[in-house]
Amino acid sequence: MAALDLLGRRWALRLLWELRTEPLGARALRQRCDGMSSSVLYDRLNELGGAGLITKDTSGDYMLTPLGADLGAALDPLDRWSQRWAAQYDPG
């Protein structure tokens, strides 16, 4: 249940999603997550780092750990489903 508590926090999954393809600095992450305050950004980064899902590389950018990358692979089916849903869903 602790994993769901962590991943259910606002912006946590979004940060992991943004890091799925490349390391990013805090400024780039904040720009990609429009509307996130810097205090929430650093809180989530610290929580995700403490959980072993992200780390910093030698240049100070954030990146997924192998465990974090495994989570990304586990979310791939949800991503595929969401793409099908978005293609069919018409809110108007």
Side-chain angles (χ1 to χ4, degrees), residues 10-31:
R10 189 167 187 207
W11 298 108
L13 283 173
R14 177 67 184 269
L15 289 170
L16 294 168
W17 180 255
E18 295 298 339
L19 292 170
R20 74 192 184 284
T21 58
E22 63 182 329
L24 294 168
R27 180 175 291 162
L29 282 168
R30 190 158 179 241
Q31 287 174 343

Side-chain angles (χ1 to χ4, degrees), residues 40-69:
V40 170
L41 171 66
Y42 287 107
D43 285 347
R44 291 303 165 269
L45 291 172
N46 286 330
E47 291 166 354
L48 294 169
L53 300 176
I54 64 171
T55 190
K56 281 187 175 182
D57 66 13
T58 56
S59 66
D61 289 345
Y62 294 90
M63 59 185 281
L64 295 177
T65 63
L67 187 60

Side-chain angles (χ1 to χ4, degrees), residues 17 75-91:
W17 180 255
L75 294 174
D76 281 342
L78 179 59
D79 179 45
R80 288 190 300 274
W81 175 87
S82 68
Q83 290 176 26
R84 287 193 310 274
W85 173 79
Q88 295 177 16
Y89 178 70
D90 182 8

